[in-house]
């Protein structure tokens, strides 16, 4: 057999091997889809027997692989934060708030709410781009690293516009860390937020999420779901959660979670590392 014919036979063998591998891969993918379909059907039927339904357009998501990450919270004292928002002259109120003229601030744990009934920095342009720039400038003035926050657009509401910012890492949102600005034609009239962040870093460890199908089989035991009423799950998302126990710490290992929302407005969090319910 000459060299040319040997090369031809070798190429044909390679083509046949590639075709077989492709067929095997397609078969494995099809098998995986079939198993998921059967599992989803079983979970759906089980939930329905317990008066819990999935919204018609809701599909059970696959378990992603997510990295553990550390979140660094702002470390300045309440007094420093109050001074930046209200200036050096303010009065502390009995309910734990602070007042200075038309401006007020209330801080409760990891949350805060600032209001100004008479803002004095009018805007001539109310476009999304201008509002984002204004908000990021305000964040920097307050000592908040705006790079940690993603601008999620604006919502119209009466005479004001709400600009929404969330914290994300590798495309996954931190469900209990956010900032929002209320803006009128006269300027910023309100700011609210929770768990202010100054930085995020990866831990170097990653793992697969606990399967959502297993969590849904356990959700029927959740005491917050009235067993005598029908419930519809309208949203299932994966992301990160900080939690109430982190209020006194600056560096926190964020918890990867599944967030499950119902039609009644109830939001449940489950630890994606072990499937345990997080009492928030």
């Amino acid at each position: 057999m000459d060299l040319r014919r040997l090369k031809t036979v070798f190429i044909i063998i390679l083509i046949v091997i590639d075709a077989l591998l492709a067929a095997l891969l397609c078969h494995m993918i099809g098998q995986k889809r079939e198993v998921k379909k059967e599992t989803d059907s079983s979970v759906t039927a089980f939930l329905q027997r317990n008066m819990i339904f999935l919204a018609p357009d809701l599909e059970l998501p696959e378990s992603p692989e997510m990295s553990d990450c550390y979140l660094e919270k702002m470390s300045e004292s309440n007094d420093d934060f109050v001074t930046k928002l209200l200036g050096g002259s303010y009065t502390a109120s009995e309910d734990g708030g602070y007042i200075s003229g038309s401006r007020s601030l209330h801080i409760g744990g990891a949350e805060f709410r600032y209001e100004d009934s008479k803002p004095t920095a009018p805007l001539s342009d109310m476009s999304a781009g201008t509002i984002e720039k204004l908000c990021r400038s305000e964040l920097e003035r307050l000592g908040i690293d705006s790079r940690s926050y993603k601008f999620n657009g604006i919502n119209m509401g009466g005479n004001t516009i709400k600009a929404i910012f969330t914290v994300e890492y590798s495309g996954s949102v931190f469900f209990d860390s956010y900032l929002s600005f209320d803006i009128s034609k006269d300027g910023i009239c309100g700011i609210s937020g929770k768990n202010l962040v100054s930085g995020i870093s990866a831990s170097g460890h990653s793992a697969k999420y606990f399967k959502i199908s297993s969590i849904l089989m356990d959700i029927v035991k959740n005491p917050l779901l009235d067993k005598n009423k029908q419930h519809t799950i309208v949203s299932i998302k994966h992301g990160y959660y900080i939690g109430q126990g982190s209020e006194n710490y600056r560096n926190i290992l964020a918890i990867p979670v599944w967030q499950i929302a119902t039609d009644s407005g109830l939001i449940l969090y489950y630890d994606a590392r072990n499937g345990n319910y997080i009492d928030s």
Side-chain angles (χ1 to χ4, degrees):
M1 184 179 292
D2 59 30
L3 184 59
R4 183 178 298 176
R5 184 171 297 177
L6 189 61
K7 286 182 178 179
T8 302
V9 172
F10 183 67
I11 291 172
I12 292 173
I13 291 172
L14 288 178
I15 293 173
V16 171
I17 291 173
D18 285 344
L20 289 172
L21 288 174
L24 179 61
L25 181 61
C26 289
H27 176 70
M28 291 173 63
I29 292 173
Q31 233 178 7
K32 185 178 179 181
R33 286 176 179 169
E34 192 61 31
V35 170
K36 184 180 185 304
K37 185 178 179 181
E38 291 177 2
T39 301
D40 290 356
S41 296
S42 298
V43 171
T44 301
F46 174 77
L47 291 173
Q48 290 175 353
R49 289 196 298 271
N50 288 274
M51 298 180 67
I52 301 174
F53 298 85
L54 300 179
D57 59 344
L58 182 64
E59 293 186 6
L60 300 187
E62 296 277 5
S63 297
E65 186 171 300
M66 291 178 64
S67 299
D68 289 343
C69 64
Y70 287 97
L71 181 146
E72 184 176 319
K73 295 172 65 178
M74 283 185 59
S75 60
E76 65 180 10
S77 67
N78 282 357
D79 289 341
D80 292 336
F81 191 58
V82 173
T83 299
K84 287 178 179 178
L85 277 168
L86 302 183
S89 177
Y90 57 83
T91 303
S93 61
E94 293 181 358
D95 63 352
Y98 306 85
I99 300 173
S100 176
S102 64
R103 297 169 297 166
S104 65
L105 172 66
H106 187 272
I107 301 174
E111 298 183 74
F112 78 93
R113 172 67 187 171
Y114 162 81
E115 293 181 350
D116 186 353
S117 60
K118 296 179 180 179
T120 57
L123 280 77
S124 58
D125 178 9
M126 299 289 280
S127 67
T130 299
I131 287 175
E132 179 185 3
K133 186 176 180 181
L134 170 69
C135 294
R136 290 195 180 279
S137 176
E138 183 68 5
L139 288 177
E140 296 295 341
R141 186 185 74 80
L142 295 174
I144 303 171
D145 186 357
S146 67
R147 294 172 299 178
S148 298
Y149 288 85
K150 178 184 177 182
F151 178 56
N152 285 326
I154 57 177
N155 292 330
M156 304 295 295
N159 296 322
T160 62
I161 291 175
K162 184 177 289 292
I164 303 168
F165 290 80
T166 56
V167 178
E168 293 189 13
Y169 178 75
S170 296
S172 296
V173 69
F174 284 75
F175 292 117
D176 58 340
S177 180
Y178 64 86
L179 271 169
S180 66
F181 292 78
D182 296 319
I183 301 166
S184 69
K185 60 181 179 61
D186 296 317
I188 296 174
C189 54
I191 309 173
S192 60
K194 183 176 183 180
N195 286 319
L196 298 180
V197 172
S198 61
I200 302 172
S201 59
S203 70
H205 176 265
S206 62
K208 273 272 190 182
Y209 260 42
F210 203 82
K211 288 184 178 180
I212 190 62
S213 56
S214 299
I215 289 174
L216 290 175
M217 296 291 281
D218 190 62
I219 201 173
V220 298
K221 304 174 188 175
N222 195 297
L224 296 180
L225 291 173
D226 189 336
K227 305 299 184 292
N228 299 312
K229 292 183 179 180
Q230 177 178 309
H231 306 276
T232 300
I233 295 174
V234 297
S235 171
I236 300 174
K237 299 177 181 177
H238 58 79
Y240 291 101
Y241 188 76
I242 299 170
Q244 296 179 355
S246 65
E247 289 179 6
N248 299 321
Y249 298 93
R250 182 177 182 186
N251 294 296
I252 306 151
L253 180 62
I255 304 170
V257 295
W258 284 109
Q259 182 202 66
I260 301 172
T262 71
D263 56 339
S264 65
L266 180 65
I267 298 179
L268 306 172
Y269 293 100
Y270 282 82
D271 192 325
R273 300 168 299 183
N274 51 35
N276 293 335
Y277 169 62
I278 298 173
D279 187 358
S280 57

